């Protein structure tokens, strides 16, 4: 038997104080299996020990919320006896170490979170953050991550319909890969994870257990040192074809009455799934480790419990339904094994070769895990902008922005994803939000991922508000009613008070926005220790609370798009323009400055403007809609022109000088086009709602013309398209041919 030394405790990521808690919980020294189980269940990745106290402040309820945080995924009512089930999760550390498998298994894991609750997945999205494009490792990381997402999602048959990509040197040593899945289920066929029924059989289904991914959860709960590459064995290996079989087998069994509880084996594998099921149900669990299907010889209980091999599920079945369930999984050529039973002891007991190798009370593992209120200091307010430059040529600055990493076309990425499989995708990547039909109905779900990390770094509270508001705005821009949020909270080391201050600030801003917009948070994930000490790495990432928003369209055919539709339409800027240039991409890309406060978010006005826009879309008054974000109104106009192949003349006097008018990233502002026949009605509705609506010009031609007092700044659509489409193929070089 291995002696438990302080070195072994430290290797398992437990502090001396936490190990003392283990001794107190057991009343004795743990063996290695028990220590491993405590280490993963008490890891940051599984226990949220640094964030739980603050997560409780988030709004999670609304009349349409069926299930909020605490289950595998969030559930909302979308009418007609149907529910949308969705969640977003991180796979950051694995994707930096082994980008293809890290990203692929991130997709696989989030799919399981959704279909384990009874939903058929209908869409995947992702939110990616990379370092400086000229970093020597970045091209390899981008190629691997994109190919991994496409390789898994395409094979499993779920369309990848949306996402976002940012670049910043802060991610040089620790990229972020956040994956989101949305599914649909019947409200009377939703499955939960709480085990019940003493004596009920516990069943393992899916793939066999191997040695991949051992200590993946612990690895994801620490920052990177010099030995990042040595952690490659902690990255799981995925098989999307097995996942597809697992989806179909689970959904077939779910159509019966055989399942009492079900849980996917995600982070910490068999350990977390069994502990969570038993603790949520207030019962005990007994497992026979010899019965666990294994793909490698000589595996120990320690390895089996901590393995994160993919495509596996744990179920509690009703007594006598084992043969029925087994027949389904054998038909789909998947493993099926009864590996234990529910007990009344409140303990986790593992046996192996006739001996008890683990006997732990479940309370300390789950409900009584460490909880820290870590010291935090607020981020100091950003200094006001001084010496703000003016633009000498709107067209030249616009071309530079359109070619920049954060605005350039993502076509090279999303053309590697199957965006159409299932034949229900209404709007594919490139717009404000993806739109996917609810199969067999007129309804559609709109979905988006959003966050502006540079805003969160400059002002976490305002940045947290903006992330939620932008998701709400993007759903509104396609005509959807925003319903709920999932999130993926990516931050650096919470033991540093300034980082903990970012976490607390962002959550405060998010909470304010969710309440003001009736946009509750129903699921999510926390990923901490995203920083690197590795050679060439940065340090802490920018605070990145990624928001996944979901909304509902009752009639998918009424959804709006960003493309200009015809010549002669009136272009309006709707919303309050303040000319905020702080933290703007124009300031960074054209003048090399990252300073000033981020643009302010007026949540009351955000709601007023959004409600006006959504109503006008459904009434057919607007022919094109696009919200203003990175790059300001100039970039918004360019994206609308390129999407429609139609130019515009911007000939109305602006409220500020050219830089503040066209490159400020004002929040709560939409650019819309209106037919002449609807203009009077729309302006009347805007006036009645107390919303500003300024004419900018009209659509037409093949150029964008910005009229200035002394001259016109002109750029052709051809030049804009060349700049916009060139970044990724040039960056990826030969890899571009893989698209």
């Amino acid at each position: 038997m291995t002696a438990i030394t302080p070195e072994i405790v430290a290797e398992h990521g437990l502090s001396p104080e936490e190990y003392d808690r283990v001794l107190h919980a057991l009343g004795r020294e743990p063996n290695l299996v028990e220590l491993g189980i405590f280490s993963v269940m008490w890891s940051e990745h599984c226990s949220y020990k640094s964030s739980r106290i603050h997560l409780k402040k988030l709004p999670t309820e609304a009349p349409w919320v069926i299930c909020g945080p605490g289950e595998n995924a969030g559930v909302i009512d979308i009418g007609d006896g149907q529910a949308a089930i969705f969640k977003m999760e991180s796979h950051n550390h694995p994707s930096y170490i082994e980008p293809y498998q890290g990203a692929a298994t991130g997709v696989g894991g989030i799919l399981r979170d959704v279909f384990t609750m009874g939903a058929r997945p209908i869409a995947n999205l992702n939110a990616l953050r990379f370092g400086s494009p000229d970093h020597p490792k970045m091209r390899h990381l981008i190629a691997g991550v994109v190919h991994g997402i496409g390789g898994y999602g395409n094979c499993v048959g779920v369309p990848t319909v949306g996402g976002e990509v940012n670049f910043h040197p802060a991610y040089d040593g620790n990229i972020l890969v956040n994956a989101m899945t949305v599914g649909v289920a019947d409200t009377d066929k939703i499955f939960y994870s709480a085990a019940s029924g003493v004596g009920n059989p516990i069943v393992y289904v899916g793939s066999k257990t191997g040695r991949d991914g051992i200590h993946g959860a612990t690895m994801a709960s620490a920052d990177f040192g010099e030995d990042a590459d040595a952690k490659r064995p902690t990255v799981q290996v995925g098989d999307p074809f097995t996942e597809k079989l697992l989806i179909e087998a689970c959904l077939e069994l779910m159509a019966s009455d055989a399942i009492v509880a079900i849980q996917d084996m995600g982070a910490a594998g068999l350990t977390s799934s069994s502990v969570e099921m038993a603790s949520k149900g207030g019962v005990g669990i007994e497992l026979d480790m010899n019965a666990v299907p294994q793909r490698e010889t000589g595996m120990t209980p320690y390895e089996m419990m901590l393995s994160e091999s993919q495509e596996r599920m744990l179920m509690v079945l009703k007594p006598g339904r084992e043969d029925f369930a087994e027949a389904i999984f054998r038909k789909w050529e998947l493993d099926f094994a009864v590996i234990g039973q529910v007990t009344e002891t409140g303990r986790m007991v593992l046996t192996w070769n006739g001996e008890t190798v683990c006997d732990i009370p479940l309370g300390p593992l789950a409900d009584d895990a460490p909880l820290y209120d870590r010291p935090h200091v607020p981020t100091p307010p950003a200094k006001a902008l001084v010496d703000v430059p003016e633009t000498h040529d709107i067209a030249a600055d616009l071309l530079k922005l359109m070619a920049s990493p954060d605005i350039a076309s993502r076509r090279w990425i999303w053309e590697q994803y199957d965006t159409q499989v299932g034949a229900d995708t209404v709007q594919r990547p490139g717009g404000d939000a993806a739109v996917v039909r609810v199969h067999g109905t007129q309804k559609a779900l709109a979905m988006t991922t959003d966050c502006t990390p540079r805003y969160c770094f400059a002002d976490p509270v305002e940045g947290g508000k903006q992330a939620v508001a932008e998701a709400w705005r993007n759903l509104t821009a396609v005509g959807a009613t925003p319903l709920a949020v999932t999130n993926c909270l990516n931050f650096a080391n919470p033991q540093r008070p300034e980082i903990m201050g970012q976490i607390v600030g962002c959550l405060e801003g998010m909470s304010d926005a969710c309440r003001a917009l009736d946009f509750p948070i129903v699921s999510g994930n926390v990923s901490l220790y995203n920083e690197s000490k590795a050679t060439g790495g940065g340090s802490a990432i920018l605070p990145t609370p990624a928001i996944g928003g979901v909304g509902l369209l009752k009639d998918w055919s009424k959804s709006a798009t960003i493309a200009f539709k015809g010549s002669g339409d009136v272009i309006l800027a709707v919303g309050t323009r303040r000319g905020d240039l702080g933290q703007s991409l124009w300031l960074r890309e054209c003048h090399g400055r990252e300073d000033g406060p981020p643009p302010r978010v007026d949540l009351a006005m955000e709601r007023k403007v959004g409600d006006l826009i959504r109503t006008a879309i459904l009434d057919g008054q607007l022919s094109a809609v696009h919200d203003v974000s990175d790059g300001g109104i100039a970039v918004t106009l360019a994206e609308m022109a390129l999407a429609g192949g139609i130019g515009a003349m911007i000939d109305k006097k602006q409220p500020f000088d050219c830089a503040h008018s066209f490159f400020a990233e004002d929040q709560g502002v939409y650019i819309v086009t209106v037919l002449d026949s609807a203009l009077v009605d729309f302006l009347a509705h805007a006036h009645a709602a107390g919303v500003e609506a300024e004419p900018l010009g009209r659509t037409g031609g093949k150029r964008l013309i910005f009229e200035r007092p002394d001259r016109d700044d002109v750029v052709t659509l051809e030049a804009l398209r060349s700049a916009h489409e060139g970044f990724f193929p040039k960056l990826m070089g030969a890899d571009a041919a893989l698209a």
Side-chain angles (χ1 to χ4, degrees), residues 444-527:
L445 293 174
M447 53 203 77
T448 182
T449 63
D450 292 290
C451 183
T452 311
R454 64 185 186 276
Y455 294 174
C456 296
F457 182 73
D459 185 334
V461 176
E462 208 67 26
K465 282 185 199 173
Q466 191 273 342
V468 171
E470 186 174 3
W472 191 88
R473 197 181 310 136
N474 280 331
L475 298 174
T476 292
V478 298
T481 300
L483 291 178
V485 164
T486 184
N487 61 61
C488 198
L489 307 177
N490 308 272
F491 294 91
N493 187 341
Q495 296 176 59
R496 294 165 54 187
E498 69 274 18
I499 301 300
M500 199 65 219
Q502 294 174 353
I503 297 170
V504 173
C506 284
L507 287 171
E508 178 186 333
M510 289 166 54
S511 181
D512 289 348
C514 288
R515 285 189 171 88
L517 300 173
D518 278 342
F519 204 27
I521 292 176
V522 297
S523 60
N525 170 243
V526 179
S527 175

Side-chain angles (χ1 to χ4, degrees), residues 111-112 114-115 119-124 157-159 181-184 247 251:
L111 282 164
R112 288 193 298 281
V114 168
F115 76 74
R120 177 170 291 281
I122 65 166
N124 289 329
V158 177
T181 293
V182 181
V184 173
I247 291 172
L251 291 177

Side-chain angles (χ1 to χ4, degrees), residues 130-202:
F130 296 111
S132 175
D134 57 7
H135 187 280
K137 197 169 183 176
M138 214 48 57
R139 188 168 167 271
H140 160 73
L141 291 171
I142 295 167
V145 165
V146 172
H147 297 159
I149 291 169
Y152 205 100
N154 296 355
C155 293
V156 84
V158 177
T160 300
V161 297
E164 57 177 339
V165 184
N166 289 147
F167 291 86
H168 194 280
Y171 303 103
D172 280 354
N174 197 130
I175 64 171
L176 302 184
V177 175
N178 296 170
M180 176 177 170
T181 293
V182 181
V184 173
D186 293 336
T187 54
D188 61 352
K189 277 290 184 181
I190 296 169
F191 291 82
Y192 299 99
S193 58
S196 63
V198 173
N200 280 351
I202 296 170

Side-chain angles (χ1 to χ4, degrees), residues 89-338:
E89 281 214 336
S90 62
H91 233 222
N92 303 333
H93 287 55
S95 298
Y96 181 81
I97 296 167
E98 173 37 65
Y100 183 93
Q101 289 296 348
T105 52
V107 174
I110 197 63
L111 282 164
R112 288 193 298 281
D113 277 337
V114 168
F115 76 74
T116 192
M117 296 196 70
R120 177 170 291 281
I122 65 166
N124 289 329
L125 300 91
N126 53 75
L128 312 177
R129 320 286 168 179
F130 296 111
S132 175
D134 57 7
H135 187 280
K137 197 169 183 176
M138 214 48 57
R139 188 168 167 271
H140 160 73
L141 291 171
I142 295 167
V145 165
V146 172
H147 297 159
I149 291 169
Y152 205 100
N154 296 355
C155 293
V156 84
V158 177
T160 300
V161 297
E164 57 177 339
V165 184
N166 289 147
F167 291 86
H168 194 280
Y171 303 103
D172 280 354
N174 197 130
I175 64 171
L176 302 184
V177 175
N178 296 170
M180 176 177 170
T181 293
V182 181
V184 173
D186 293 336
T187 54
D188 61 352
K189 277 290 184 181
I190 296 169
F191 291 82
Y192 299 99
S193 58
S196 63
V198 173
N200 280 351
I202 296 170
V203 172
Y204 171 120
V205 300
S207 292
K208 290 180 168 62
T209 294
R211 290 189 171 96
D212 54 324
I214 293 174
H215 276 302
T218 307
M219 178 268 292
S221 304
D223 56 18
F224 282 138
E226 303 287 344
D227 60 343
D229 286 343
K231 295 182 179 179
R232 190 166 282 115
T234 63
V235 179
Q236 312 94 320
V237 177
D239 180 353
F241 298 105
T242 298
E243 181 102 341
K244 174 62 174 172
L245 299 178
L246 189 59
I247 291 172
E248 300 304 329
C250 286
L251 291 177
E252 183 174 340
L253 184 60
M254 286 167 169
S256 73
D257 64 349
I259 298 174
V260 174
I262 181 169
Q263 175 78 37
D264 83 293
M265 296 191 212
L270 186 52
T271 290
S272 65
S273 56
S274 56
V275 169
E276 289 171 13
M277 292 178 80
S279 61
K280 285 177 184 175
V283 296
I285 192 165
E286 185 174 313
L287 302 179
D288 175 6
M289 303 310 294
N290 294 96
V292 174
Q294 301 159 52
R295 71 165 182 257
E296 300 183 46
T297 58
M299 290 192 72
T300 65
Y302 178 94
E303 292 172 322
M304 285 184 266
M305 291 303 293
L306 270 60
S307 167
E308 294 184 9
S309 293
Q310 297 291 284
E311 294 88 39
R312 303 179 300 159
M313 310 284 279
L314 199 64
M315 299 180 182
V316 176
L317 298 182
K318 292 182 178 178
R321 302 294 275 166
E322 297 93 325
D323 290 346
F324 170 78
E326 181 172 9
I328 291 174
F329 283 89
R330 298 296 182 197
K331 180 184 76 172
W332 289 100
E333 299 180 346
L334 296 166
D335 275 283
F336 178 99
V338 178

Side-chain angles (χ1 to χ4, degrees), residues 382-642:
K383 294 180 180 178
L385 275 181
V386 295
D387 301 323
V388 181
E390 177 49 62
T391 180
H392 299 295
D393 187 333
I394 299 171
D397 285 359
L398 177 56
L399 279 171
K400 191 168 187 177
L401 282 171
M402 294 297 282
S404 67
D406 278 3
I407 293 179
S409 170
R410 274 68 177 124
R411 184 184 303 275
W412 179 87
I413 293 178
W414 58 257
E415 283 191 343
Q416 297 182 59
Y417 305 151
D418 190 334
T419 62
Q420 302 293 321
V421 62
D424 282 318
T425 303
V426 175
Q427 287 197 39
R428 62 181 189 172
D432 283 319
V435 180
V436 179
R437 277 186 299 246
V438 176
H439 194 72
T441 76
Q442 198 66 17
K443 294 182 301 193
L445 293 174
M447 53 203 77
T448 182
T449 63
D450 292 290
C451 183
T452 311
R454 64 185 186 276
Y455 294 174
C456 296
F457 182 73
D459 185 334
V461 176
E462 208 67 26
K465 282 185 199 173
Q466 191 273 342
V468 171
E470 186 174 3
W472 191 88
R473 197 181 310 136
N474 280 331
L475 298 174
T476 292
V478 298
T481 300
L483 291 178
V485 164
T486 184
N487 61 61
C488 198
L489 307 177
N490 308 272
F491 294 91
N493 187 341
Q495 296 176 59
R496 294 165 54 187
E498 69 274 18
I499 301 300
M500 199 65 219
Q502 294 174 353
I503 297 170
V504 173
C506 284
L507 287 171
E508 178 186 333
M510 289 166 54
S511 181
D512 289 348
C514 288
R515 285 189 171 88
L517 300 173
D518 278 342
F519 204 27
I521 292 176
V522 297
S523 60
N525 170 243
V526 179
S527 175
L528 304 182
Y529 295 95
N530 288 292
E531 56 185 77
S532 173
K533 299 183 182 72
T535 302
S539 181
I541 64 162
L542 301 182
T544 311
I547 299 296
V550 173
L552 177 67
L553 280 150
K554 292 184 178 178
D555 183 349
W556 64 264
S557 68
K558 292 184 177 180
S559 65
T561 68
I562 72 171
F564 287 157
K565 302 299 187 298
S567 295
D569 289 353
V570 178
I571 304 169
L572 299 173
V574 183
T576 303
R577 297 168 66 186
R578 297 187 180 88
D580 292 333
L581 279 170
Q583 299 299 324
S584 66
L585 283 184
W586 175 79
L587 203 60
R588 187 179 86 188
E589 297 296 330
C590 295
H591 297 280
R593 293 172 54 178
E594 293 186 65
D595 57 339
R600 290 159 288 172
V601 181
D602 180 336
L603 292 169
M605 183 55 69
E606 185 82 53
R607 183 156 188 167
K608 272 188 186 180
V609 180
D611 290 348
L612 169 72
I613 292 291
R614 196 180 314 108
T615 300
I617 290 172
L618 300 182
D619 288 346
Q621 294 179 333
L622 307 181
S623 50
V625 182
H626 194 10
D627 77 306
V628 175
S629 58
D630 287 349
I633 283 178
V635 167
T636 307
L637 289 165
E639 290 172 343
M640 298 175 84
L642 289 177

